[in-house]
Amino acid sequence: MDSDQFRTAAHAAIDDIIGYFDNIPNQRVLPTIEPGYLRPQIPSSPPQDPESWASIQEDIDSKIKPGLTQWQSPNFMAFFPATVTYPSILGEMYSAAFNAPAFNWLCSPACTELETVIMDWMAQALGLPECFLSTSENKGGGVIQMSASDAVATVMIAARERWVHGQAKSEGLKEGSAEYEDRVMDLRPRLVALSSSQAHSSTAKAALLAGTRYRSIAVSLDNDMSLTGAELRGMLEKLDEDKLTPYFITLCFGSTNSCAVDRFNEIIAVLKEKPHWQRIWVHIDAAYAGAALIADEWQYIAKDFAEGVDSFNLNMHKWLLVNFDASLLYVRNRHDLTDFLDITPAYLRNPFSESGQVIDYRNWSIPLGRRFRALKIWFVMRSYGLTGLKEFVRKGITLGNTFADLIRSRGDLFEIVTKPAFGLTVFRVRAGSNTNGALVNGSGEGALVQPDEKADAVTKEVYETINARGEIFITSTVMAGIYAIRVVSANERAEEKFICRAFEVLVQTAEEVLRK
């Protein structure tokens, strides 16, 4: 493909993308294909001769689009939003054109330096404490990771190494000696990573990657599924009894199931109670809900991170108009990463890195190579401005409140399980034995919602029926033994009319199932 052919193909592709976005509201959210649909439509062997772009683009329409789940649809109300905007797409185009692996500063100075600036921009925009800025006296800073899963795996490995090496040094062992190495290896098997039962599964997976133990701390509807200081203390005391060493904890700023926010102040206070608890690495997982910090009225939460928090993670590719992948990871002390993730063979050495005047982001993450992701964030922030980003997040929260009020308006049919938060509502269908319970604000929210097998069965059937019909797409979960439906509408094309229609679908389907 030469430059003229590329120009023609690019124009055709962009026109197709615009047409795709314009038509999304009219598309079924979930595809109707069956598993294995694609293989019979594609030759079993790669082509011997070149094909024209026109024939390739035809296959996008006939083979790929029928197998897409429409995440950008205003009727997509499952999981979490996965936003994409035209400025973000333009950033991806330039990133692909420059194609800079950028594992150190020298490989692409602009890639490294723009990332540092953009991460500081976002730290200011989110109201994060100054300790997370690259210019902070404590040597904080941020790095763009692929996902929250990568972020937690990275900081957990760093936390493991910080703990075992710190312990070995405190015992007077000489770094590099056989005794030092043996002691480091002896310490690792007793280490335990922690999170609440509501944290994303990436923390448990990270513990597998780090080769350490993992414990989940039970939480309750009494506290709206938030982890409390007392619940953490109970787990820490049990680990002390079992002669196990807690070294890392993930705290939720918007848990996966219900957007619960753990009680940060209580938890930090508990960690101060014993010297070895103070050494625990505290990581805040704000993958989705952390985007709310862009709005001034939510920034009071970030003040709790000024002390005792080692790292903070937010995915811009969920709720801040940047496409996947763009996961922002901030650390209080960059040396916690670089001291333990820096492997520098001769072929990576250069005068700039050796001088210590530049950042090499390969030492801040697990992969060596990395994409020029800062470009698309830069484009989005400049195209929307903080004013536009704030308005967008506030719109999502307002739509969530509207939907929660609709659910409350049919207290005879639905009951809210946890307090609606950050545009997410978690509820179940009332069924027979659970219709006479006490109500909170007329909705049956919170701890008064009790497990009920009949309600579980009805709610599950409503959920599965709606998704099978495909007009809207929602997800389900199980919390505190309660089967519930999750609805969140926070993508760029979300509007109140789609929220109202989703409520109509839920009412109609619930009444249909209950009549049976």
Side-chain angles (χ1 to χ4, degrees), residues 110-126:
C111 182
T112 295
E113 296 197 11
L114 183 63
E115 183 159 338
T116 303
V117 172
I118 291 304
M119 291 299 291
D120 283 348
W121 272 18
M122 281 303 302
Q124 295 172 52
L126 297 167

Side-chain angles (χ1 to χ4, degrees), residues 271-323:
L271 293 176
K272 291 178 179 179
E273 293 175 1
K274 295 185 180 181
H276 64 288
W277 291 356
Q278 293 180 38
R279 296 171 60 187
I280 295 173
W281 183 300
V282 176
H283 175 65
I284 305 292
D285 180 1
Y288 165 61
L293 294 177
I294 206 84
D296 308 73
E297 60 268 27
W298 292 99
Q299 291 186 356
Y300 71 92
I301 298 175
K303 289 181 171 56
D304 292 342
F305 308 156
E307 183 182 1
V309 173
D310 295 277
S311 54
F312 171 89
N313 172 240
L314 159 71
N315 290 348
M316 287 195 75
H317 57 249
K318 284 189 168 72
W319 199 11
L320 282 177
L321 302 173
V322 178
N323 65 290

